[in-house]
Amino acid sequence: MEEKILVLDFGGQYDQLIARKVRAQHVYAEIRPYDSVGVDEIASGRYAGIIFTGGPHSVYAEDAPTVDARMLNAGIPVLGICYGHQLMAHLAGGAVASAHRGGEYGKTAVRTLENVLFAGIPPESICWMSHFDEVIEPPEGFEVIARTSKCLCAAMWDESRRLFGVQFHPEVAHTAYGERLLHNFLFEVCGCVGSWSMGDFITREVKTLRSELEGKRVLLALSGGVDSSVAAALLHKAIGSRLTCVFVDHGLLRKEEGAFVEKTFGERLGASFVRVDARERFLGRLAGVTDPECKRGIIGEEFVRAFEDEARKLDGVEVLAQGTIYPDIVESGRGGSAVIKSHHNVGGLPAAMEFSEVVEPLRDLFKDEVREVGERLGLPAELVWRQPFPGPGLAVRVIGEVTEERLAILREADAIFREEVEKAGCAECASQYFAVLTDLRSVGVKGDARTYGYVVALRSVTTDDFMTAEWTRLPYAVLERAGSRIVNEVADVSRVVYDITGKPPATVEWE
Ligand code: XMP
């Protein structure tokens, strides 16, 4: 039987990260809400081990999320993390209270004793803490196996039942030996062998999609970005011609991008791929518009229209597929923050349309995992490794009015910059790099004549999550070559500047 770890979700910030870190060690991790799994299911031996995640509650609060205490006696190893550690203590008869020396937040030195969980980890290391409660009295049968200066029970174990609790977060990169700790739990305690791969994810997902979508027709908005492309390839493998992918070409794509998407998917998907030429309708509506939010609003609206028009031509489509990935869910779940930009995701659910079902086959995966799925499905590396591109396309990189002429200037400048960055091997340290056409004109001299052309800005950022970003320290030689080629090869550009602003205070895109 396939080895599998159950990640029991108590609502912590890093729950998905736990699953990802387990999967990175080639063991499949399934995340399920804490109240959706009973003791019988655990006892049936489906899982090699269980991880209780962190969570924002206090175990002693009246409505605190909990599980049947018999879960600890089912003979399956359990690792409790943060709230999960406290819950384990609480369920087994120990005591948890508000930390009397104050909680701990951030990087903290931890001293660990010799234990199977800490094999290969030095006795003193750095861990990531984030808690206000703590275990003040470990339950009977448990021994304390780690401490910090404030937390006297930073980890505990019950050897006979193979139960472990850690107050800190091994899944977070700031815990120096977190990966090793998880490895020890998976391989030394649960006896996993690490035979799972993304290939198994594909096999399982294709099987599930086939049975869930039996006899149904599915529509997917394909942007040519990584996520919707991988979703398309996966769905096509599962249901073949019952999938229709609609690629709305809004005329705001980069140089040769539309043709590339059409070639890649036209060949692969055959009749399942439809390219809608909506260039005129988008540019028509954008004429004379200069306000960034207005541009975004128009593009979002027109996209839905174009998509709906196409969907109407298809008979009997009842399921909408989306390339949503896990970080999208996290970001949309964070309510209450100010709208900085109204992001328009091509592939987003058109609110006005009616579908009886929505499928999101990549919703549990992180970007790097999605890329691996794409590679395994045989998508071209050029597509799988492409940088993110905003739904509203070049419209938010042409400052001021968007016209055919201005788009053409930007496309050329952008292609040159990308080519120079890639040729110099700098693409790996830059997460996103592109050109922006400003609405400024400036005086220059070409040959002996005066010119009065546009100012093009080059932007390159380095980031893990795009929530914050640093400007990339590109070598001067790369900037010089790109700058000189742009003013020489692109008519109507007289000056090139490089954007050295981080996010915050700036955003990645200019509009
Ligand atoms: P900002 O400019 O908000 O960009 O710092 C962060 C990341 O999001 C991309 N971006 C978008 N992606 N629809 C998208 O699908 C949008 O409307 C949109 N606006 C920005 C941007 O390219 C960067 O990767």
mmCIF file of all heavy atoms in Angstrom, residues 5-10 18 22 49-53 77-81 182 185-186:
data_model
loop_
_atom_site.group_PDB
_atom_site.id
_atom_site.type_symbol
_atom_site.label_atom_id
_atom_site.label_comp_id
_atom_site.label_asym_id
_atom_site.label_seq_id
_atom_site.Cartn_x
_atom_site.Cartn_y
_atom_site.Cartn_z
ATOM 1 N N ILE A 5 1.075 10.110 4.903
ATOM 2 C CA ILE A 5 1.032 10.772 6.207
ATOM 3 C C ILE A 5 -0.228 11.624 6.257
ATOM 4 O O ILE A 5 -0.548 12.322 5.297
ATOM 5 C CB ILE A 5 2.286 11.666 6.401
ATOM 6 C CG1 ILE A 5 3.560 10.810 6.470
ATOM 7 C CG2 ILE A 5 2.170 12.559 7.624
ATOM 8 C CD1 ILE A 5 3.718 9.962 7.710
ATOM 9 N N LEU A 6 -0.915 11.573 7.375
ATOM 10 C CA LEU A 6 -2.103 12.409 7.541
ATOM 11 C C LEU A 6 -1.695 13.690 8.260
ATOM 12 O O LEU A 6 -1.134 13.649 9.356
ATOM 13 C CB LEU A 6 -3.141 11.653 8.383
ATOM 14 C CG LEU A 6 -4.364 12.470 8.816
ATOM 15 C CD1 LEU A 6 -5.203 12.886 7.615
ATOM 16 C CD2 LEU A 6 -5.215 11.679 9.797
ATOM 17 N N VAL A 7 -1.952 14.828 7.611
ATOM 18 C CA VAL A 7 -1.696 16.109 8.263
ATOM 19 C C VAL A 7 -3.055 16.619 8.733
ATOM 20 O O VAL A 7 -3.913 16.978 7.929
ATOM 21 C CB VAL A 7 -1.033 17.115 7.285
ATOM 22 C CG1 VAL A 7 -0.843 18.468 7.950
ATOM 23 C CG2 VAL A 7 0.303 16.572 6.788
ATOM 24 N N LEU A 8 -3.243 16.606 10.020
ATOM 25 C CA LEU A 8 -4.545 16.985 10.573
ATOM 26 C C LEU A 8 -4.531 18.486 10.845
ATOM 27 O O LEU A 8 -3.765 18.980 11.679
ATOM 28 C CB LEU A 8 -4.775 16.177 11.858
ATOM 29 C CG LEU A 8 -6.188 15.701 12.107
ATOM 30 C CD1 LEU A 8 -6.842 15.082 10.882
ATOM 31 C CD2 LEU A 8 -6.191 14.695 13.249
ATOM 32 N N ASP A 9 -5.393 19.184 10.148
ATOM 33 C CA ASP A 9 -5.336 20.638 10.060
ATOM 34 C C ASP A 9 -6.134 21.311 11.182
ATOM 35 O O ASP A 9 -7.353 21.211 11.232
ATOM 36 C CB ASP A 9 -5.912 21.012 8.677
ATOM 37 C CG ASP A 9 -5.838 22.487 8.395
ATOM 38 O OD1 ASP A 9 -5.485 23.254 9.305
ATOM 39 O OD2 ASP A 9 -6.152 22.867 7.248
ATOM 40 N N PHE A 10 -5.420 22.038 12.046
ATOM 41 C CA PHE A 10 -6.090 22.783 13.122
ATOM 42 C C PHE A 10 -6.107 24.282 12.834
ATOM 43 O O PHE A 10 -6.282 25.095 13.733
ATOM 44 C CB PHE A 10 -5.402 22.489 14.469
ATOM 45 C CG PHE A 10 -5.641 21.088 14.943
ATOM 46 C CD1 PHE A 10 -4.729 20.074 14.676
ATOM 47 C CD2 PHE A 10 -6.810 20.760 15.624
ATOM 48 C CE1 PHE A 10 -4.953 18.773 15.089
ATOM 49 C CE2 PHE A 10 -7.049 19.454 16.038
ATOM 50 C CZ PHE A 10 -6.123 18.460 15.776
ATOM 51 N N ILE A 18 3.671 22.240 5.883
ATOM 52 C CA ILE A 18 4.022 20.941 6.479
ATOM 53 C C ILE A 18 3.859 19.861 5.404
ATOM 54 O O ILE A 18 4.756 19.050 5.177
ATOM 55 C CB ILE A 18 3.119 20.611 7.692
ATOM 56 C CG1 ILE A 18 3.296 21.664 8.783
ATOM 57 C CG2 ILE A 18 3.417 19.208 8.221
ATOM 58 C CD1 ILE A 18 2.351 21.509 9.964
ATOM 59 N N VAL A 22 6.782 17.474 3.707
ATOM 60 C CA VAL A 22 6.710 16.007 3.745
ATOM 61 C C VAL A 22 6.822 15.470 2.316
ATOM 62 O O VAL A 22 7.595 14.560 2.029
ATOM 63 C CB VAL A 22 5.402 15.538 4.425
ATOM 64 C CG1 VAL A 22 5.214 14.040 4.283
ATOM 65 C CG2 VAL A 22 5.396 15.937 5.899
ATOM 66 N N GLY A 49 1.683 7.646 9.570
ATOM 67 C CA GLY A 49 1.893 8.551 10.693
ATOM 68 C C GLY A 49 0.945 9.729 10.584
ATOM 69 O O GLY A 49 0.335 9.953 9.531
ATOM 70 N N ILE A 50 0.831 10.465 11.702
ATOM 71 C CA ILE A 50 -0.079 11.615 11.732
ATOM 72 C C ILE A 50 0.687 12.828 12.222
ATOM 73 O O ILE A 50 1.530 12.719 13.121
ATOM 74 C CB ILE A 50 -1.250 11.346 12.708
ATOM 75 C CG1 ILE A 50 -1.937 10.023 12.362
ATOM 76 C CG2 ILE A 50 -2.260 12.483 12.693
ATOM 77 C CD1 ILE A 50 -2.962 9.582 13.400
ATOM 78 N N ILE A 51 0.399 13.974 11.627
ATOM 79 C CA ILE A 51 0.961 15.226 12.141
ATOM 80 C C ILE A 51 -0.195 16.130 12.544
ATOM 81 O O ILE A 51 -1.094 16.387 11.741
ATOM 82 C CB ILE A 51 1.857 15.924 11.085
ATOM 83 C CG1 ILE A 51 3.049 15.020 10.726
ATOM 84 C CG2 ILE A 51 2.344 17.269 11.610
ATOM 85 C CD1 ILE A 51 3.991 15.584 9.675
ATOM 86 N N PHE A 52 -0.204 16.565 13.797
ATOM 87 C CA PHE A 52 -1.179 17.575 14.241
ATOM 88 C C PHE A 52 -0.540 18.930 13.965
ATOM 89 O O PHE A 52 0.564 19.195 14.440
ATOM 90 C CB PHE A 52 -1.432 17.491 15.757
ATOM 91 C CG PHE A 52 -2.177 16.274 16.240
ATOM 92 C CD1 PHE A 52 -2.355 16.086 17.621
ATOM 93 C CD2 PHE A 52 -2.732 15.340 15.376
ATOM 94 C CE1 PHE A 52 -3.046 14.987 18.115
ATOM 95 C CE2 PHE A 52 -3.430 14.235 15.862
ATOM 96 C CZ PHE A 52 -3.583 14.053 17.231
ATOM 97 N N THR A 53 -1.223 19.791 13.255
ATOM 98 C CA THR A 53 -0.617 21.085 12.897
ATOM 99 C C THR A 53 -0.756 22.100 14.030
ATOM 100 O O THR A 53 -1.412 21.848 15.032
ATOM 101 C CB THR A 53 -1.300 21.702 11.663
ATOM 102 O OG1 THR A 53 -2.586 22.196 12.062
ATOM 103 C CG2 THR A 53 -1.447 20.702 10.534
ATOM 104 N N PRO A 77 2.249 6.455 14.919
ATOM 105 C CA PRO A 77 3.046 7.561 15.454
ATOM 106 C C PRO A 77 2.388 8.915 15.163
ATOM 107 O O PRO A 77 1.800 9.108 14.091
ATOM 108 C CB PRO A 77 4.368 7.467 14.691
ATOM 109 C CG PRO A 77 4.418 6.105 14.105
ATOM 110 C CD PRO A 77 3.009 5.657 13.925
ATOM 111 N N VAL A 78 2.492 9.819 16.143
ATOM 112 C CA VAL A 78 1.923 11.156 15.958
ATOM 113 C C VAL A 78 3.003 12.185 16.295
ATOM 114 O O VAL A 78 3.729 12.033 17.274
ATOM 115 C CB VAL A 78 0.706 11.396 16.896
ATOM 116 C CG1 VAL A 78 0.108 12.781 16.656
ATOM 117 C CG2 VAL A 78 -0.357 10.321 16.713
ATOM 118 N N LEU A 79 3.084 13.226 15.466
ATOM 119 C CA LEU A 79 3.937 14.378 15.761
ATOM 120 C C LEU A 79 3.022 15.587 15.906
ATOM 121 O O LEU A 79 2.317 15.960 14.973
ATOM 122 C CB LEU A 79 4.940 14.611 14.614
ATOM 123 C CG LEU A 79 5.761 15.906 14.691
ATOM 124 C CD1 LEU A 79 6.696 15.909 15.898
ATOM 125 C CD2 LEU A 79 6.583 16.111 13.405
ATOM 126 N N GLY A 80 3.011 16.197 17.079
ATOM 127 C CA GLY A 80 2.212 17.404 17.298
ATOM 128 C C GLY A 80 3.116 18.613 17.160
ATOM 129 O O GLY A 80 4.215 18.649 17.721
ATOM 130 N N ILE A 81 2.669 19.597 16.405
ATOM 131 C CA ILE A 81 3.470 20.811 16.208
ATOM 132 C C ILE A 81 2.723 22.003 16.801
ATOM 133 O O ILE A 81 1.552 22.235 16.448
ATOM 134 C CB ILE A 81 3.737 21.037 14.698
ATOM 135 C CG1 ILE A 81 4.590 19.898 14.128
ATOM 136 C CG2 ILE A 81 4.395 22.391 14.470
ATOM 137 C CD1 ILE A 81 4.835 19.977 12.617
ATOM 138 N N LEU A 182 11.826 16.446 10.472
ATOM 139 C CA LEU A 182 10.717 15.796 9.752
ATOM 140 C C LEU A 182 11.187 14.480 9.129
ATOM 141 O O LEU A 182 10.474 13.481 9.150
ATOM 142 C CB LEU A 182 10.151 16.729 8.671
ATOM 143 C CG LEU A 182 9.342 17.919 9.202
ATOM 144 C CD1 LEU A 182 8.964 18.858 8.071
ATOM 145 C CD2 LEU A 182 8.089 17.457 9.932
ATOM 146 N N PHE A 185 11.246 11.874 11.762
ATOM 147 C CA PHE A 185 9.901 11.393 12.099
ATOM 148 C C PHE A 185 9.392 10.443 11.003
ATOM 149 O O PHE A 185 8.901 9.348 11.287
ATOM 150 C CB PHE A 185 8.943 12.574 12.288
ATOM 151 C CG PHE A 185 7.532 12.145 12.590
ATOM 152 C CD1 PHE A 185 7.215 11.531 13.809
ATOM 153 C CD2 PHE A 185 6.501 12.313 11.661
ATOM 154 C CE1 PHE A 185 5.913 11.093 14.087
ATOM 155 C CE2 PHE A 185 5.210 11.885 11.930
ATOM 156 C CZ PHE A 185 4.914 11.280 13.147
ATOM 157 N N LEU A 186 9.525 10.868 9.754
ATOM 158 C CA LEU A 186 8.980 10.070 8.650
ATOM 159 C C LEU A 186 9.691 8.732 8.491
ATOM 160 O O LEU A 186 9.062 7.686 8.347
ATOM 161 C CB LEU A 186 9.095 10.841 7.326
ATOM 162 C CG LEU A 186 8.334 12.159 7.253
ATOM 163 C CD1 LEU A 186 8.690 12.902 5.971
ATOM 164 C CD2 LEU A 186 6.838 11.895 7.302
#
